[in-house]
Amino acid sequence: MEKEQRPGYLAVDVITDIFEAARKPSVAAIDGLTIGGGLEIAMACHARISTPTAQLGLPELTLGIIPGLGGTQRLPRLVGLSKALEMMLMSEIVKGDEAFTFGLVDAIVSPDELVTTARRWALDIFESRRPWVTTLHKTDKIEPLGEARDLLKFARAQAQKQASNLKHPLICIDVIEEGIIGGPRAGLWKEAEAFQELLYSDTSKSLVHIFFAQNGTSKVPGVTDVGLVPRPVNKIAVVGGGLIGSGIATALILSNYQVILKEVDEKFLQVAIGRVRADLQSSLKKGKMSHEKFEKTISLLNGVLDYESFEDVDMVIEAVTEDVSFKQQIFADLEKHCPPHCIFASSDCTIDLNLIADRTKSKDRIVGSHFFSPAHAMPILEIAHTKQTSPQVIVDLMHVGKNMRKTPVVVGNGTGFAINRMFFPYTQAALLLVERGTDLYQIDGAITNFGMPMGPFRLADLVGLGVAIETGTQFVQNFPERTYKSMLISLLQEDKRAGETTRKGFYVYDEEQNASPDSELEKYIEKSRSISGVTIDPKLMTLPEKDIVEMIFFPVVNEACRVLAEGIVINAADLDVAAVMGMGFPPYRGGIMYWADSLGSKYICSRLEEWSKIYGEFFKPCAYLAERAAKGTPLSSPVQHAAPQL
């Protein structure tokens, strides 16, 4: 029993010394999804036959671990070190026909011929008509030692640059290097030891949590468990061709939907179509799309200036400016021109859906479809419903989202829905710190070091300060008692510093949109401080990074607790997925609520109480958080009293 339990028993004793070293040849017949352990066993076979559409890869790093059945040793010997590093570190999944080009598989056949060919290939090996290849002993694909060291050195530098907080990519590189220098058997034992260590790491636990949480978003009580089948959605109209609208149109045609894009006049329409074309041309230039695919995709888009062609659309997505009366008029018009089954979706995320639907009769067809910018690239779709929204409509929109390769997160109605709602204190907390003396660029640095793709001020520049003001105003109006009101963003906007688009905002930008700090910003901060009537707090001028992170994110946790308490979201895990996929919260921290629970409700509550005594209501813990802290209960434990909104 001791032998069976030692790390590496399966990879070394069973797969290598029994299976791969057997006197009978083995040939893997590969079709469908062959990832992780499945591919590792296939690589231990003496040949691999695949269908063209089979998917192969070693994506273990996405779960905070490394391949544990010999994958770190066999993949470089089959495809070369350079390609192997790329596949493992990027968790790249390749199709069978591509895998054949670089040697991962030995032949490509149709699904009908797969098993027959694999059997024949095994007989050919046994009867010496084909070479008997033991993958672990192959050396012809491995680069010379000097070149290999350079590749490994470069891979380490890239891994540290892209995710400085993560250790497992570096451990994976170390294990691969051990096999190159010390030999494959030494590599196998090092792999086994490292796998066992990583399996119980906090990073792996967090990433596994996010993996299951992401799969869990497709289960919505009262919607996906009542036997509803998605209706066919073929033709979709998008009203409004701004940045969001044109991005949604791009995402839809890339998913093979027929799309009508409506604008108010010819000039705006041509600009919108130009944006869509530019998005597709970007993929064309990068080699991600053929000319044939480009022409076929763009042909699915039709620009219009009226509602005449809306008589057979299955869904309309409204994406106009955040003006309540304008949106109400659009939905009233849509009701007149669209068929009775047509779904009316609004891409708005800050205005209550009931307000938008006020002048319509078909309130059961109204739903929120919050796409994140850029809509064709971001992997999440927040679907918001009112109490009147039909479950069938939600099922249909979830299906469309999945066809667009987006993770749908279903939430209740309300200002900001769930994602923008819980993150509205994010920028406000940063503004509070700046006005009281914390260096603005130090804040962004601390947040990026924590693992966010960018800090709150760099993010504000990216989305545009005009958008930040529009959305911020909604939260100030709806939650006046707990919002922090700063004039800093408005002062910058008034001075035509609108963010990246004007090449000036919180940062200044060069022609490549590279951001640099701007010394001129201090005068705007001083003026904003004067208007707000606050003074510099010496303690906040020398805040450690840990305190900056907590003062920025604990208010976000506090608001997320309110979202749970109000039943806008039923499962805390949905907020974790939303934070990771919608706002870039580091997945290796498990999401906003998982991370909060790792610190403890008592600690978070005590810190917020401490700050609220000094800096006011903005930091005051909500009842849900205070109650959980008093009982020592995890924040993500199920809410007993919250009822679903549907």
Side-chain angles (χ1 to χ4, degrees), residues 621-645:
C622 68
Y624 177 103
L625 175 54
E627 182 185 317
R628 297 277 164 135
K631 294 178 180 177
T633 312
L635 298 175
S636 55
S637 294
V639 181
Q640 299 300 324
H641 60 276
Q645 291 208 1

PDB file of all heavy atoms in Angstrom, residues 621-645:
ATOM      1  N   PRO A 621     -20.502  49.175   7.672  1.00  0.00           N
ATOM      2  CA  PRO A 621     -20.892  47.810   7.287  1.00  0.00           C
ATOM      3  C   PRO A 621     -22.406  47.677   7.198  1.00  0.00           C
ATOM      4  O   PRO A 621     -23.136  48.231   8.033  1.00  0.00           O
ATOM      5  CB  PRO A 621     -20.344  46.936   8.429  1.00  0.00           C
ATOM      6  CG  PRO A 621     -19.390  47.800   9.179  1.00  0.00           C
ATOM      7  CD  PRO A 621     -19.827  49.217   8.972  1.00  0.00           C
ATOM      8  N   CYS A 622     -22.886  46.959   6.200  1.00  0.00           N
ATOM      9  CA  CYS A 622     -24.332  46.744   6.064  1.00  0.00           C
ATOM     10  C   CYS A 622     -24.784  45.701   7.098  1.00  0.00           C
ATOM     11  O   CYS A 622     -23.963  45.007   7.713  1.00  0.00           O
ATOM     12  CB  CYS A 622     -24.682  46.280   4.653  1.00  0.00           C
ATOM     13  SG  CYS A 622     -24.072  44.628   4.236  1.00  0.00           S
ATOM     14  N   ALA A 623     -26.083  45.579   7.267  1.00  0.00           N
ATOM     15  CA  ALA A 623     -26.637  44.681   8.282  1.00  0.00           C
ATOM     16  C   ALA A 623     -26.226  43.230   8.029  1.00  0.00           C
ATOM     17  O   ALA A 623     -25.903  42.486   8.960  1.00  0.00           O
ATOM     18  CB  ALA A 623     -28.159  44.808   8.297  1.00  0.00           C
ATOM     19  N   TYR A 624     -26.239  42.810   6.773  1.00  0.00           N
ATOM     20  CA  TYR A 624     -25.871  41.435   6.401  1.00  0.00           C
ATOM     21  C   TYR A 624     -24.450  41.129   6.858  1.00  0.00           C
ATOM     22  O   TYR A 624     -24.190  40.101   7.496  1.00  0.00           O
ATOM     23  CB  TYR A 624     -26.002  41.286   4.876  1.00  0.00           C
ATOM     24  CG  TYR A 624     -25.589  39.950   4.299  1.00  0.00           C
ATOM     25  CD1 TYR A 624     -26.550  39.022   3.908  1.00  0.00           C
ATOM     26  CD2 TYR A 624     -24.249  39.621   4.100  1.00  0.00           C
ATOM     27  CE1 TYR A 624     -26.186  37.797   3.356  1.00  0.00           C
ATOM     28  CE2 TYR A 624     -23.875  38.408   3.552  1.00  0.00           C
ATOM     29  CZ  TYR A 624     -24.843  37.501   3.177  1.00  0.00           C
ATOM     30  OH  TYR A 624     -24.468  36.292   2.629  1.00  0.00           O
ATOM     31  N   LEU A 625     -23.530  42.035   6.557  1.00  0.00           N
ATOM     32  CA  LEU A 625     -22.123  41.838   6.917  1.00  0.00           C
ATOM     33  C   LEU A 625     -21.948  41.844   8.438  1.00  0.00           C
ATOM     34  O   LEU A 625     -21.247  40.993   9.005  1.00  0.00           O
ATOM     35  CB  LEU A 625     -21.257  42.918   6.269  1.00  0.00           C
ATOM     36  CG  LEU A 625     -19.762  42.941   6.618  1.00  0.00           C
ATOM     37  CD1 LEU A 625     -19.114  41.597   6.359  1.00  0.00           C
ATOM     38  CD2 LEU A 625     -19.056  44.023   5.815  1.00  0.00           C
ATOM     39  N   ALA A 626     -22.603  42.795   9.109  1.00  0.00           N
ATOM     40  CA  ALA A 626     -22.487  42.892  10.572  1.00  0.00           C
ATOM     41  C   ALA A 626     -23.036  41.641  11.253  1.00  0.00           C
ATOM     42  O   ALA A 626     -22.448  41.128  12.216  1.00  0.00           O
ATOM     43  CB  ALA A 626     -23.234  44.132  11.060  1.00  0.00           C
ATOM     44  N   GLU A 627     -24.146  41.140  10.722  1.00  0.00           N
ATOM     45  CA  GLU A 627     -24.770  39.938  11.293  1.00  0.00           C
ATOM     46  C   GLU A 627     -23.862  38.721  11.110  1.00  0.00           C
ATOM     47  O   GLU A 627     -23.668  37.927  12.036  1.00  0.00           O
ATOM     48  CB  GLU A 627     -26.121  39.709  10.589  1.00  0.00           C
ATOM     49  CG  GLU A 627     -26.898  38.523  11.108  1.00  0.00           C
ATOM     50  CD  GLU A 627     -28.164  38.283  10.285  1.00  0.00           C
ATOM     51  OE1 GLU A 627     -28.858  39.277   9.964  1.00  0.00           O
ATOM     52  OE2 GLU A 627     -28.431  37.121   9.955  1.00  0.00           O
ATOM     53  N   ARG A 628     -23.294  38.594   9.923  1.00  0.00           N
ATOM     54  CA  ARG A 628     -22.393  37.457   9.659  1.00  0.00           C
ATOM     55  C   ARG A 628     -21.137  37.542  10.540  1.00  0.00           C
ATOM     56  O   ARG A 628     -20.644  36.535  11.020  1.00  0.00           O
ATOM     57  CB  ARG A 628     -21.997  37.434   8.186  1.00  0.00           C
ATOM     58  CG  ARG A 628     -23.182  37.215   7.227  1.00  0.00           C
ATOM     59  CD  ARG A 628     -23.511  35.739   7.100  1.00  0.00           C
ATOM     60  NE  ARG A 628     -24.809  35.506   6.514  1.00  0.00           N
ATOM     61  CZ  ARG A 628     -25.046  34.601   5.561  1.00  0.00           C
ATOM     62  NH1 ARG A 628     -24.051  33.878   5.086  1.00  0.00           N
ATOM     63  NH2 ARG A 628     -26.257  34.405   5.108  1.00  0.00           N
ATOM     64  N   ALA A 629     -20.632  38.754  10.693  1.00  0.00           N
ATOM     65  CA  ALA A 629     -19.435  38.943  11.515  1.00  0.00           C
ATOM     66  C   ALA A 629     -19.713  38.574  12.972  1.00  0.00           C
ATOM     67  O   ALA A 629     -18.885  37.935  13.636  1.00  0.00           O
ATOM     68  CB  ALA A 629     -18.963  40.388  11.412  1.00  0.00           C
ATOM     69  N   ALA A 630     -20.891  38.968  13.479  1.00  0.00           N
ATOM     70  CA  ALA A 630     -21.244  38.683  14.876  1.00  0.00           C
ATOM     71  C   ALA A 630     -21.325  37.177  15.136  1.00  0.00           C
ATOM     72  O   ALA A 630     -20.961  36.689  16.211  1.00  0.00           O
ATOM     73  CB  ALA A 630     -22.584  39.347  15.213  1.00  0.00           C
ATOM     74  N   LYS A 631     -21.805  36.437  14.128  1.00  0.00           N
ATOM     75  CA  LYS A 631     -21.955  34.981  14.276  1.00  0.00           C
ATOM     76  C   LYS A 631     -20.724  34.210  13.803  1.00  0.00           C
ATOM     77  O   LYS A 631     -20.648  32.992  13.989  1.00  0.00           O
ATOM     78  CB  LYS A 631     -23.175  34.507  13.478  1.00  0.00           C
ATOM     79  CG  LYS A 631     -24.500  35.033  14.005  1.00  0.00           C
ATOM     80  CD  LYS A 631     -25.641  34.558  13.128  1.00  0.00           C
ATOM     81  CE  LYS A 631     -26.986  35.078  13.638  1.00  0.00           C
ATOM     82  NZ  LYS A 631     -28.089  34.675  12.738  1.00  0.00           N
ATOM     83  N   GLY A 632     -19.788  34.928  13.135  1.00  0.00           N
ATOM     84  CA  GLY A 632     -18.625  34.250  12.580  1.00  0.00           C
ATOM     85  C   GLY A 632     -18.971  33.379  11.386  1.00  0.00           C
ATOM     86  O   GLY A 632     -18.295  32.387  11.090  1.00  0.00           O
ATOM     87  N   THR A 633     -20.054  33.747  10.686  1.00  0.00           N
ATOM     88  CA  THR A 633     -20.534  32.963   9.539  1.00  0.00           C
ATOM     89  C   THR A 633     -19.874  33.441   8.251  1.00  0.00           C
ATOM     90  O   THR A 633     -19.727  34.650   8.047  1.00  0.00           O
ATOM     91  CB  THR A 633     -22.066  33.128   9.390  1.00  0.00           C
ATOM     92  OG1 THR A 633     -22.675  32.925  10.652  1.00  0.00           O
ATOM     93  CG2 THR A 633     -22.638  32.163   8.372  1.00  0.00           C
ATOM     94  N   PRO A 634     -19.497  32.529   7.346  1.00  0.00           N
ATOM     95  CA  PRO A 634     -18.949  32.969   6.052  1.00  0.00           C
ATOM     96  C   PRO A 634     -19.949  33.823   5.279  1.00  0.00           C
ATOM     97  O   PRO A 634     -21.164  33.571   5.333  1.00  0.00           O
ATOM     98  CB  PRO A 634     -18.684  31.648   5.314  1.00  0.00           C
ATOM     99  CG  PRO A 634     -18.544  30.624   6.385  1.00  0.00           C
ATOM    100  CD  PRO A 634     -19.469  31.062   7.483  1.00  0.00           C
ATOM    101  N   LEU A 635     -19.451  34.809   4.580  1.00  0.00           N
ATOM    102  CA  LEU A 635     -20.310  35.716   3.803  1.00  0.00           C
ATOM    103  C   LEU A 635     -21.013  34.990   2.667  1.00  0.00           C
ATOM    104  O   LEU A 635     -22.086  35.391   2.224  1.00  0.00           O
ATOM    105  CB  LEU A 635     -19.490  36.881   3.251  1.00  0.00           C
ATOM    106  CG  LEU A 635     -18.835  37.794   4.291  1.00  0.00           C
ATOM    107  CD1 LEU A 635     -17.950  38.827   3.609  1.00  0.00           C
ATOM    108  CD2 LEU A 635     -19.891  38.486   5.147  1.00  0.00           C
ATOM    109  N   SER A 636     -20.394  33.930   2.171  1.00  0.00           N
ATOM    110  CA  SER A 636     -20.954  33.238   1.010  1.00  0.00           C
ATOM    111  C   SER A 636     -21.913  32.109   1.379  1.00  0.00           C
ATOM    112  O   SER A 636     -22.426  31.425   0.494  1.00  0.00           O
ATOM    113  CB  SER A 636     -19.823  32.678   0.141  1.00  0.00           C
ATOM    114  OG  SER A 636     -18.969  31.853   0.905  1.00  0.00           O
ATOM    115  N   SER A 637     -22.150  31.914   2.670  1.00  0.00           N
ATOM    116  CA  SER A 637     -23.141  30.899   3.066  1.00  0.00           C
ATOM    117  C   SER A 637     -24.504  31.289   2.516  1.00  0.00           C
ATOM    118  O   SER A 637     -24.827  32.480   2.421  1.00  0.00           O
ATOM    119  CB  SER A 637     -23.222  30.791   4.589  1.00  0.00           C
ATOM    120  OG  SER A 637     -22.009  30.299   5.112  1.00  0.00           O
ATOM    121  N   PRO A 638     -25.340  30.307   2.159  1.00  0.00           N
ATOM    122  CA  PRO A 638     -26.644  30.623   1.557  1.00  0.00           C
ATOM    123  C   PRO A 638     -27.476  31.561   2.421  1.00  0.00           C
ATOM    124  O   PRO A 638     -27.463  31.482   3.644  1.00  0.00           O
ATOM    125  CB  PRO A 638     -27.319  29.250   1.439  1.00  0.00           C
ATOM    126  CG  PRO A 638     -26.185  28.276   1.395  1.00  0.00           C
ATOM    127  CD  PRO A 638     -25.104  28.861   2.254  1.00  0.00           C
ATOM    128  N   VAL A 639     -28.192  32.451   1.763  1.00  0.00           N
ATOM    129  CA  VAL A 639     -29.085  33.388   2.452  1.00  0.00           C
ATOM    130  C   VAL A 639     -30.432  32.710   2.631  1.00  0.00           C
ATOM    131  O   VAL A 639     -31.066  32.301   1.662  1.00  0.00           O
ATOM    132  CB  VAL A 639     -29.250  34.691   1.620  1.00  0.00           C
ATOM    133  CG1 VAL A 639     -30.161  35.670   2.349  1.00  0.00           C
ATOM    134  CG2 VAL A 639     -27.894  35.318   1.346  1.00  0.00           C
ATOM    135  N   GLN A 640     -30.874  32.590   3.866  1.00  0.00           N
ATOM    136  CA  GLN A 640     -32.110  31.860   4.135  1.00  0.00           C
ATOM    137  C   GLN A 640     -33.357  32.684   3.808  1.00  0.00           C
ATOM    138  O   GLN A 640     -34.331  32.172   3.303  1.00  0.00           O
ATOM    139  CB  GLN A 640     -32.155  31.446   5.620  1.00  0.00           C
ATOM    140  CG  GLN A 640     -31.010  30.531   6.044  1.00  0.00           C
ATOM    141  CD  GLN A 640     -30.977  29.220   5.273  1.00  0.00           C
ATOM    142  OE1 GLN A 640     -32.016  28.661   4.942  1.00  0.00           O
ATOM    143  NE2 GLN A 640     -29.775  28.739   4.973  1.00  0.00           N
ATOM    144  N   HIS A 641     -33.267  33.991   4.079  1.00  0.00           N
ATOM    145  CA  HIS A 641     -34.487  34.795   3.998  1.00  0.00           C
ATOM    146  C   HIS A 641     -34.682  35.486   2.656  1.00  0.00           C
ATOM    147  O   HIS A 641     -35.746  36.009   2.376  1.00  0.00           O
ATOM    148  CB  HIS A 641     -34.489  35.858   5.096  1.00  0.00           C
ATOM    149  CG  HIS A 641     -33.333  36.806   5.008  1.00  0.00           C
ATOM    150  ND1 HIS A 641     -32.096  36.500   5.550  1.00  0.00           N
ATOM    151  CD2 HIS A 641     -33.208  38.028   4.427  1.00  0.00           C
ATOM    152  CE1 HIS A 641     -31.260  37.514   5.321  1.00  0.00           C
ATOM    153  NE2 HIS A 641     -31.912  38.442   4.649  1.00  0.00           N
ATOM    154  N   ALA A 642     -33.642  35.499   1.797  1.00  0.00           N
ATOM    155  CA  ALA A 642     -33.772  36.216   0.526  1.00  0.00           C
ATOM    156  C   ALA A 642     -34.561  35.374  -0.469  1.00  0.00           C
ATOM    157  O   ALA A 642     -34.274  34.208  -0.676  1.00  0.00           O
ATOM    158  CB  ALA A 642     -32.389  36.530  -0.045  1.00  0.00           C
ATOM    159  N   ALA A 643     -35.594  35.957  -1.046  1.00  0.00           N
ATOM    160  CA  ALA A 643     -36.419  35.247  -2.026  1.00  0.00           C
ATOM    161  C   ALA A 643     -35.988  35.637  -3.437  1.00  0.00           C
ATOM    162  O   ALA A 643     -35.651  36.789  -3.689  1.00  0.00           O
ATOM    163  CB  ALA A 643     -37.886  35.619  -1.824  1.00  0.00           C
ATOM    164  N   PRO A 644     -35.991  34.673  -4.373  1.00  0.00           N
ATOM    165  CA  PRO A 644     -35.651  35.016  -5.752  1.00  0.00           C
ATOM    166  C   PRO A 644     -36.625  36.050  -6.299  1.00  0.00           C
ATOM    167  O   PRO A 644     -37.793  36.077  -5.913  1.00  0.00           O
ATOM    168  CB  PRO A 644     -35.803  33.685  -6.505  1.00  0.00           C
ATOM    169  CG  PRO A 644     -35.893  32.632  -5.463  1.00  0.00           C
ATOM    170  CD  PRO A 644     -36.361  33.285  -4.209  1.00  0.00           C
ATOM    171  N   GLN A 645     -36.140  36.906  -7.200  1.00  0.00           N
ATOM    172  CA  GLN A 645     -37.008  37.957  -7.731  1.00  0.00           C
ATOM    173  C   GLN A 645     -37.954  37.439  -8.801  1.00  0.00           C
ATOM    174  O   GLN A 645     -38.828  38.148  -9.256  1.00  0.00           O
ATOM    175  CB  GLN A 645     -36.142  39.083  -8.309  1.00  0.00           C
ATOM    176  CG  GLN A 645     -35.398  39.862  -7.239  1.00  0.00           C
ATOM    177  CD  GLN A 645     -35.121  41.276  -7.667  1.00  0.00           C
ATOM    178  OE1 GLN A 645     -35.485  41.702  -8.750  1.00  0.00           O
ATOM    179  NE2 GLN A 645     -34.482  42.033  -6.820  1.00  0.00           N
TER     180      GLN A 645
END
